[in-house]
Amino acid sequence: SGQGGTPDPIQPGDQNSRVVKVNQPLPADAKAVAYNIVAVDTPARGFFAVTPGDVVTYDASTINWAGPGYVIANGQFSKIANDGTIRVFNGSSLPTNAIIDITGYFTDEASSFSGNYFFPIVPARAYDSRAPQPQPGALNGGSSINVSLADGRNLTTGAVERPNVVPSDATAVNYNITAINTTSRGWFEVAPSGTPPTGTSSINWPWANDVIGNGLTVGLGLYQNPQPPNQLQNRSIRVTSGASGP
């Protein structure tokens, strides 16, 4: 289920909500964060609601689970309080563990000149381990692959149908990843190519024969294509498996 997490479960009820300090460096003008939240080994049906740290009530759930035994993740955005905190409400009837990983931040446009623009596209299938394309086949536990997100591929044949759907000057993408026909409990970490594994989960599943998806945002990196002509590939990500099997 990835490394890290709360030292003790979050108790249910508004009065027991947990204030979490964003512990990675943020610029002084940061107003919001992109994050991934994981509910771990849930004891009962429930939900988490995430708000800025100075908000003491909630209007909507951020992640939901249907019963005990779940390990489930969701990627979202949240405004942060002035002290750099967010608050987590546990809507379950029992104490529940949570993992929160910060993946990025937002600043006011008027005070920042280093941000990038978001360009929506028609969704494209960039990689499917079940289709005949570069690096096919299930990802073994503990191993990593680099995946190019430059092109959109045919859902059945894996052939490139929409070249350069992600342009060469893109620095990050908003994506959906799905774990299919899992063989054991586990997780995937998704990060820019060229970065080492950290054990930060991007999607989690609690048992075998699961099909589960999660949407997140990730920066793009570079890797050396092992196949001829061995070109340096940009617009690529690294996927690492934390499962015990394929």
Side-chain angles (χ1 to χ4, degrees):
S1 55
Q3 298 176 350
T6 54
D8 57 289
I10 300 175
Q11 299 294 321
D14 293 358
Q15 71 277 11
N16 296 314
S17 60
R18 181 76 51 84
V19 176
V20 179
K21 175 72 174 179
V22 177
N23 59 6
Q24 72 177 50
L26 295 177
D29 59 347
K31 302 298 182 183
V33 291
Y35 67 93
N36 192 55
I37 184 169
V38 187
V40 185
D41 296 329
T42 59
R45 177 189 179 100
F47 67 90
F48 286 144
V50 179
T51 68
D54 55 358
V55 173
V56 295
T57 186
Y58 61 90
D59 294 319
S61 62
T62 304
I63 184 172
N64 302 67
W65 53 93
Y70 275 78
V71 181
I72 189 168
N74 191 27
Q76 264 295 356
F77 306 102
S78 177
K79 181 181 177 182
I80 56 175
N82 290 335
D83 61 354
T85 59
I86 57 177
R87 184 183 296 268
V88 184
F89 297 85
N90 178 9
S92 174
S93 61
L94 294 172
T96 307
N97 277 305
I99 296 172
I100 299 176
D101 297 312
I102 304 299
T103 59
Y105 61 87
F106 299 88
T107 62
D108 283 337
E109 182 181 359
S111 61
S112 177
F113 298 95
S114 60
N116 295 314
Y117 293 101
F118 179 76
F119 297 92
I121 64 171
V122 175
R125 178 69 52 84
Y127 177 78
D128 189 334
S129 63
R130 303 167 299 174
Q133 58 186 306
Q135 304 183 88
L139 183 60
N140 290 319
S143 62
S144 299
I145 59 171
N146 288 286
V147 177
S148 172
L149 303 185
D151 305 318
R153 296 180 176 273
N154 183 280
L155 301 185
T156 302
T157 67
V160 173
E161 285 188 331
R162 297 167 57 192
N164 296 312
V165 67
V166 175
S168 59
D169 59 348
T171 58
V173 292
N174 184 257
Y175 71 95
N176 190 66
I177 183 171
T178 306
I180 304 169
N181 300 330
T182 59
T183 60
S184 65
R185 172 189 175 112
W187 48 272
F188 286 146
E189 175 187 355
V190 180
S193 289
T195 61
T198 64
T200 299
S201 62
S202 303
I203 184 172
N204 303 66
W205 55 93
W207 41 61
N209 300 314
D210 212 346
V211 179
I212 190 167
N214 192 25
L216 278 171
T217 301
V218 65
L220 298 175
L222 297 167
Y223 81 101
Q224 192 74 41
N225 189 348
Q227 299 177 343
N230 305 111
Q231 294 176 325
L232 189 66
Q233 301 287 320
N234 65 358
R235 295 167 285 175
S236 63
I237 58 171
R238 170 183 52 78
V239 182
T240 299
S241 172
S244 60

